[in-house]
Amino acid sequence: MKTTILGYPRIGTRRELKFATEDFWAGRIDASALEKAGADLRGAVWTGLRDAGLDAIPSNTFSFYDQVLDTSVLVDAVPERYRGLDGLDRYFAMARGVQDIPAMEMTKWFDTNYH
């Protein structure tokens, strides 16, 4: 029998992503430190799933904030008001807004909220 898993918690066993993201938002770490925390977490998850004996490791289980927002960024569906920002600053501005630039509107999809 082949085994896999459809999703996996992305925040870390000790909530590493949550703490790193909060540190980034508060200016205690820079974007490269947050990206490293994400890369470390992805590597640990993939290794753990492999070591658990799964036949197929799922892809696209990680997101810094929201997988629908990730798709918007992937296909460059970025409103003009965010074009002056780069990288994670742009990404989080789309999700949360920044001074003088509001966040993207939330849309109700089925039973969830998405940007």
Side-chain angles (χ1 to χ4, degrees):
M1 175 186 312
K2 299 280 184 183
T3 59
T4 192
I5 188 171
L6 296 178
Y8 199 81
R10 62 185 171 90
I11 201 161
T13 57
R14 292 185 176 86
R15 299 171 32 186
E16 298 92 334
L17 181 60
K18 175 190 183 302
F19 296 126
T21 302
E22 288 172 351
D23 285 346
F24 175 74
W25 290 340
R28 292 186 291 266
I29 65 172
D30 63 10
S32 64
L34 178 56
E35 289 168 352
K36 181 180 181 332
D40 291 348
L41 184 56
R42 285 190 306 274
V45 167
W46 291 337
T47 300
L49 293 175
R50 181 202 63 208
D51 292 350
L54 296 181
D55 295 302
I57 306 300
S59 64
N60 203 29
T61 60
F62 179 83
S63 177
F64 280 109
Y65 193 82
D66 179 279
Q67 290 170 322
V68 173
L69 178 61
D70 294 348
T71 302
S72 296
V73 171
L74 177 70
V75 300
D76 200 30
V78 176
E80 190 60 37
R81 66 184 183 260
Y82 304 107
R83 296 281 178 183
L85 301 170
D86 292 315
L88 287 174
D89 290 329
R90 176 188 287 178
Y91 179 83
F92 286 122
M94 291 172 67
R96 305 179 70 220
V98 292
Q99 187 166 350
D100 300 326
I101 306 173
M104 293 178 64
E105 182 179 340
M106 297 290 279
T107 302
K108 192 73 168 172
W109 291 95
F110 304 105
D111 214 10
T112 61
N113 290 317
Y114 284 111
H115 295 276

